[in-house]
Amino acid sequence: PAQTCPSGRGKSTLLYLLGLMLRPTSGDIILAGESVSGLSDASLARLRANRLGFVFQDAALDQTRSVLDNVTETAIYRGQSRKGVTPRALELLDRFEVNVPHLRKPGQVSGGQAQRIALCRALINDPLVLLADEPTGNLDPSTSNLVVRALRDHADNGSAVIVVTHSPEVASFCDTEIRL
């Protein structure tokens, strides 16, 4: 589903709740049929690492790590070796036409490349739920289309993809639109 509405309505807060990064003050969060609201921080971290993927508007890349390390970093939280996920990371970087040396730092890439790197990081573990907060907010039309198509493909392959956006064009690619 997509959510289109003005700023200040709680769209990002809702996404952080769904992404298990915030705890609800009331109610419950159900993931794959099970309540997760009462789980420990460590259990929530494992769920985030194994079942969720995140794409943030600002890409949220670690400026001290290489492009490749930014993509493979989440493997550590899943108990996988970076070396083991490197082939998948390289495949994703090629698929999304990042086209920069893999040892380059995020500060040495364009905004569009950074967003595609963040998309690769989000997709590397083929998450059950992919959460995207304004994933095309700072992108040119060509890069926006590439990102939206990737999100749509992920949904078409059976995952839940939740997108927060102000863009009616992005929302038009979604199955359901919820306005806050």
Side-chain angles (χ1 to χ4, degrees), residues 31-145:
L31 179 64
E34 303 216 8
S35 172
V36 299
S37 296
L39 295 179
S40 68
D41 288 343
S43 294
L44 291 173
R46 276 191 298 280
L47 280 173
R48 281 192 302 272
N50 289 301
R51 294 191 154 183
L52 304 177
F54 301 91
V55 181
F56 301 100
Q57 181 175 3
D58 67 357
L61 300 177
D62 183 338
Q63 299 297 314
T64 66
R65 298 185 179 277
S66 71
V67 166
L68 184 60
D69 282 350
N70 267 279
V71 176
T72 60
E73 181 176 31
T74 61
I76 294 169
Y77 306 114
R78 290 188 304 280
Q80 299 174 300
S81 73
R82 284 190 176 178
K83 187 176 180 179
V85 298
T86 295
R88 169 92 169 128
L90 295 173
E91 170 194 325
L92 287 166
L93 289 166
D94 286 343
R95 174 182 173 196
F96 297 116
E97 302 170 6
V98 174
N99 298 330
V100 297
H102 301 134
L103 296 179
R104 188 168 284 178
K105 301 282 197 250
Q108 301 170 310
V109 302
S110 73
Q113 289 167 323
Q115 193 65 344
R116 286 177 279 162
I117 293 164
L119 181 60
C120 294
R121 178 186 59 204
L123 291 173
I124 196 160
N125 70 327
D126 194 26
L128 172 69
V129 179
L130 181 61
L131 303 161
D133 191 1
E134 291 289 353
T136 62
N138 300 318
L139 302 179
D140 63 82
S142 176
T143 305
S144 291
N145 189 47

Side-chain angles (χ1 to χ4, degrees), residues 12-35:
S12 295
T13 300
L14 178 59
L15 209 60
Y16 281 86
L17 285 164
L18 295 174
L20 310 177
M21 292 180 280
L22 290 176
R23 290 185 183 269
T25 54
S26 65
D28 205 4
I29 296 175
I30 309 294
L31 179 64
E34 303 216 8
S35 172

